[in-house]
Amino acid sequence: MTRRLEVALGARSYPITIGAGLIDDPAHFAPYVAGRTAAIVTNTTVEPLYARRLGAALERAGARPFSIVLPDGEAHKDWRTLDIVFEALLRAQADRGSVLVALGGGVVGDMAGFAAATYQRGVAHLQVPTTLLAQVDSSVGGKTAINHPLGKNMIGAFHQPVAVVADTATLATLPARELAAGLAEVVKYGAIHDPSFLGWIEQNAARLLAREDDALAHAIQRSCEIKAAIVAEDEHERGARALLNFGHTFGHAIESAEGYGKWLHGEAVAAGMALAARFSVARGRLTREDAERLIALIERLGLPARPPSIAPATWLEYMGRDKKNEAGRVTLVLLEALGRAAIVKDTPPAALEAFVASA
Ligand code: NAD
Ligand code: GLY
């Protein structure tokens, strides 16, 4: 069964298609690539698995495909790797009508999207996510970025894709640790927006971990529905979109402080959500029972609910650079209940410092 939904952004609206075997079907690509040069941006892990099949589908869709293969890993989400993309596009004489097709996880997707936002002042890109995390989150919504040694995703642009094609069959080759990392973002949607979805995740945790296609497809669809609705309301994160950052303020600090790639993004978000839930309790916003229920789910999915040991000054240094911050104050997404979150801008610095010192 193929599921389809839309990110409603007026003239820049686009479809998300979810199903098994989609990368072999030219019909999903033809409207965006026919008659164009299509650069498949992928990495050394995903290229041998799926690039030939996607290239064949793009060719049957009427495109002129070629591949740009990047080194794998969060540590390569940087200027140097981005330049590999630009150099390959220039050598191929890719013009403004070209399309970049991101084939891979969130790292490839964020970099291909940023390259598309800036190459010749902007070309189209299509997202073909192959990790659970990318299928439920990073391929949707148009945030593109690279990391800076001083902070995660600090250099980037908003640039929406023309379509997202999520082939659930590609998840069969995903390492178990990466699958769990994707489930962290699925839990996030339930925690901030949809208590009944959170209950569904609790009831279906074993099916999700066993990669049952029905369960994964439902999790991807519901996650994308929630993200699409929030992005349609607040594309450029002037308000509600910040809710999607639940767990990320602590999580990005973990990723940056530990060195990119040591903790997977989803693992850092999982520990970050547990911390945000505990801090919500400390600030009198959430009951201890609700925080413990969320933490129990995180642990059941094989995800970390405790951060690594980080000095309080280091926590505050990285959290102090978060893109949500205003007037020198750390903005946090805290829970009011399971399924209801709030953007909190008035946390007393001393309370946050005392909390991270005991984390
Ligand atoms: P990733 O891109 O590093 O992929 C994880 C690993 O799985 C990599 O080694 C990759 O090569 C491999 N892989 C990918 N597909 C595979 C497959 N089908 N089979 C086998 N191996 C496969 O990590 P990720 O978790 O997908 O993405 C994390 C990144 O996404 C972070 O940089 C994060 O900041 C970003 N992100 C962006 C947004 C956004 O809105 N733009 C949202 C969430 C996360
Ligand atoms: N992952 C957060 C966002 O897309 O806004």
Side-chain angles (χ1 to χ4, degrees):
M1 176 174 121
T2 300
R3 301 160 192 250
R4 199 176 155 98
L5 55 136
E6 189 185 57
V7 183
L9 288 169
R12 288 174 296 106
S13 298
Y14 55 93
I16 303 170
T17 313
I18 303 157
L22 303 188
I23 61 166
D24 296 311
D25 184 351
H28 297 300
F29 306 107
Y32 318 103
V33 305
R36 296 167 187 265
T37 296
I40 300 174
V41 182
T42 186
N43 70 20
T44 48
T45 305
V46 179
E47 192 269 344
L49 293 169
Y50 302 113
R52 194 186 49 75
R53 283 168 52 193
L54 178 62
L58 292 173
E59 218 168 304
R60 277 184 283 135
R64 296 179 297 280
F66 75 103
S67 291
I68 304 173
V69 185
L70 306 177
D72 186 3
E74 186 75 40
H76 295 289
K77 192 175 158 182
D78 60 8
W79 278 119
R80 186 191 289 254
T81 312
L82 196 64
D83 201 43
I84 298 174
V85 181
F86 294 137
E87 182 156 346
L89 291 171
L90 290 166
R91 285 194 187 285
Q93 302 198 322
D95 59 21
R96 278 187 169 161
S98 306
V99 184
L100 271 60
V101 184
L103 174 70
V107 169
V108 156
D110 279 12
M111 277 196 294
F114 188 37
T118 46
Y119 181 70
Q120 296 198 355
R121 302 203 180 90
V123 296
H125 73 115
L126 209 149
Q127 292 277 343
V128 183
T130 62
T131 63
L132 181 61
L133 188 136
Q135 294 187 354
V136 300
D137 192 349
S138 61
S139 65
V140 174
K143 278 190 181 175
T144 74
I146 55 169
N147 299 327
H148 188 282
L150 295 180
K152 185 74 191 146
N153 291 337
M154 282 294 156
I155 320 293
F158 286 99
H159 188 56
Q160 298 294 341
V162 292
V164 178
V165 179
D167 185 339
T168 53
T170 61
L171 301 180
T173 53
L174 199 62
R177 189 178 164 200
E178 299 289 352
L179 185 87
L183 289 172
E185 301 279 13
V186 176
V187 168
K188 173 189 79 179
Y189 293 112
I192 61 166
H193 191 83
D194 186 346
S196 68
F197 184 45
L198 195 71
W200 180 90
I201 302 165
E202 288 173 322
Q203 281 155 21
N204 290 276
R207 294 180 63 219
L208 290 164
L209 289 169
R211 304 178 199 219
E212 285 187 26
D213 194 61
D214 268 9
L216 285 174
H218 177 73
I220 296 163
Q221 179 179 3
R222 187 66 196 123
S223 299
C224 287
E225 279 168 2
I226 294 170
K227 181 153 187 182
I230 292 175
V231 169
E233 184 189 327
D234 177 25
E235 181 181 6
H236 295 115
E237 200 167 300
R238 313 232 191 269
R241 185 165 181 170
L243 295 172
L244 293 170
N245 256 267
F246 174 55
H248 287 58
T249 313
F250 293 107
H252 283 166
I254 294 172
E255 284 182 273
S256 304
E258 290 295 285
Y260 298 123
K262 187 164 175 206
W263 277 58
L264 300 182
H265 175 71
E267 293 171 341
V269 167
M273 289 191 296
L275 283 172
R278 288 189 187 106
F279 193 53
S280 304
V281 175
R283 301 297 300 154
R285 289 173 174 270
L286 183 72
T287 66
R288 190 170 301 279
E289 294 70 36
D290 277 349
E292 279 168 8
R293 190 178 143 199
L294 183 68
I295 289 165
L297 177 58
I298 288 168
E299 287 174 337
R300 224 175 116 209
L301 294 169
L303 288 161
R306 290 268 166 208
S309 167
I310 296 175
T314 308
W315 274 116
L316 297 176
E317 182 194 336
Y318 284 108
M319 293 173 86
R321 287 193 199 108
D322 192 275
K323 294 187 289 304
K324 297 184 295 301
N325 294 350
E326 276 176 28
R329 279 256 174 131
V330 175
T331 297
L332 288 167
V333 180
L334 298 182
L335 292 182
E336 309 279 357
L338 291 181
R340 199 172 72 245
I343 299 160
V344 178
K345 296 179 184 286
D346 61 354
T347 304
L352 187 58
E353 187 169 356
F355 178 74
V356 293
S358 66

